[in-house]
Amino acid sequence: LASPRTELFWQRNSKLFVYMSFFLLLIIAAMFIISLRALAIQRKLDQMKSEFINNMTHEIKTPLSTISLACEMLRDETISQDSASRQNFIGIINDENQRMRVLVETILQSAKMSNKNFRINPKDVDVHRIIEKVTQSFALTLSNRNGKLETRLEADPSVIVADELHLTNLVYNLIDNGIKYSTDAPDITVSTAIVNGMFELRVSDHGIGISKEDQKHVFEKFYRVSTGNVHNVKGFGIGLNYVAQVVKLHQGHITLESELGQGSTFIITLPLQ
Ligand code: ADP
């Protein structure tokens, strides 16, 4: 039997013990929840990593096999002697090569940009010339899908201080998405203007569009709209994050206007200097 002193001790402190046990239970529950969350994040990262590798393999294999097919065709003398066919296959090789270059660069540059010391290399660049160069490389893809791309280049001046390489990749990524996320024949418009002393670039499509909820996330790294049955397009979820980073490095702004099923417009404003 407990001595009267011990009994007195328990009586006096019983409330304290109840509180302490409750507090300990709370700590254990919190630690349990934290561990579960860490596990879930880890699992999600693993899943993202394997999806990324799968998609990357697919995206790199496709242009490679197209190039090798075009080379096979060019080897055939009856085809290579016909000037139009020859130009067509050389065009395919060129476009696929460009696609792979931008793809690899987007991945590499996006990784480099995470580094705090990352610097762009700004100089005078004519944005209209960049747009013309990039749109040319989509000519074949567009004609294969009966698509059209209209340019309305009205900015004057069209020369701004920017990093040519990153700006080229930015324009390429936006047009590429516009084509990728159009289920019917792609209908893309690229326009430029000077608005309030800033250079404005707009890339619009009449594709599948992005819901209001997804619009909040599309600029996050690895974010991809869950495809369901709507579209089955391969990608990494890096392109738009890279585009947003390039815009930020140029002290610009990016906005997205989109309506599900109607299309999307990406509006980029960049300072002239
Ligand atoms: P991805 O490699 O998946 O295309 P992005 O970062 O370029 O990655 O785009 C992120 C997501 O935003 C895409 O998975 C797609 O669902 C959506 N998206 C991007 N551009 C468009 C567009 N023009 N129209 C509709 N959806 C788009």
Side-chain angles (χ1 to χ4, degrees):
L1 269 176
S3 71
R5 271 184 69 183
T6 327
E7 227 164 73
L8 202 67
F9 175 79
W10 277 102
Q11 266 170 17
R12 277 194 189 151
N13 294 296
S14 62
K15 261 197 181 150
L16 181 75
F17 287 131
V18 170
Y19 286 143
M20 268 174 64
S21 324
F22 188 69
F23 185 62
L24 272 175
L25 261 175
L26 224 64
I27 291 180
I28 292 168
M31 280 171 70
F32 184 67
I33 291 169
I34 290 171
S35 321
L36 271 186
R37 280 190 58 176
L39 213 72
I41 291 171
Q42 191 61 43
R43 192 176 288 172
K44 177 112 185 87
L45 279 176
D46 276 349
Q47 192 191 342
M48 269 160 69
K49 199 170 92 186
S50 68
E51 258 174 36
F52 176 76
I53 291 171
N54 279 347
N55 288 344
M56 187 164 72
T57 319
H58 175 273
E59 295 257 327
I60 288 177
K61 260 174 144 175
T62 315
L64 279 179
S65 45
T66 314
I67 289 173
S68 107
L69 211 70
C71 288
E72 282 294 316
M73 291 299 196
L74 282 173
R75 265 210 200 110
D76 187 328
E77 275 187 9
T78 49
I79 290 173
S80 63
Q81 271 162 13
D82 174 39
S83 162
S85 311
R86 195 174 61 235
Q87 284 311 317
N88 183 33
F89 286 117
I90 292 173
I92 292 177
I93 295 175
N94 195 41
D95 292 356
E96 291 299 308
N97 196 43
Q98 166 85 343
R99 158 171 285 278
M100 266 203 307
R101 188 192 66 74
V102 175
L103 199 79
V104 170
E105 218 149 63
T106 302
I107 298 169
L108 291 182
Q109 298 294 351
S110 164
K112 270 195 199 166
M113 278 176 182
S114 328
N115 187 332
K116 274 204 180 80
N117 298 324
F118 182 83
R119 291 274 175 278
I120 51 168
N121 183 17
K123 56 181 195 302
D124 278 0
V125 286
D126 186 345
V127 186
H128 290 175
R129 205 181 51 81
I130 290 182
I131 294 171
E132 273 154 14
K133 208 174 72 186
V134 173
T135 48
Q136 265 167 25
S137 67
F138 283 108
L140 214 69
T141 313
L142 283 166
S143 85
N144 284 342
R145 291 190 52 191
N146 294 323
K148 64 177 182 4
L149 192 154
E150 191 188 329
T151 50
R152 265 187 251 133
L153 309 181
E154 286 158 6
D156 186 14
S158 60
V159 175
I160 66 168
V161 179
D163 187 309
E164 183 165 7
L165 175 83
H166 294 299
L167 211 59
T168 308
N169 294 341
L170 175 150
V171 177
Y172 192 99
N173 267 300
L174 289 181
I175 298 179
D176 191 40
N177 276 349
I179 297 173
K180 261 186 2 185
Y181 298 108
S182 293
T183 31
D184 305 324
D187 180 5
I188 318 285
T189 309
V190 182
S191 60
T192 66
I194 301 290
V195 180
N196 300 328
M198 300 276 275
F199 191 97
E200 190 182 274
L201 165 74
R202 284 173 177 254
V203 180
S204 330
D205 63 64
H206 292 98
I208 60 170
I210 305 167
S211 71
K212 291 276 171 287
E213 188 48 42
D214 286 319
Q215 284 178 34
K216 293 183 205 151
H217 304 289
V218 286
F219 295 107
E220 290 165 14
K221 205 170 198 170
F222 297 126
Y223 189 85
R224 302 199 72 221
V225 176
S226 63
T227 48
N229 296 322
V230 188
H231 63 100
N232 184 22
V233 184
K234 291 271 178 186
F236 306 111
I238 282 186
L240 283 185
N241 176 261
Y242 169 75
V243 166
Q245 288 197 71
V246 172
V247 173
K248 196 170 154 207
L249 285 165
H250 285 82
Q251 268 94 44
H253 287 288
I254 183 162
T255 41
L256 164 61
E257 287 171 1
S258 186
E259 201 66 57
L260 210 57
Q262 305 285 313
S264 316
T265 303
F266 289 86
I267 306 158
I268 287 163
T269 45
L270 297 169
L272 294 169
Q273 292 296 321

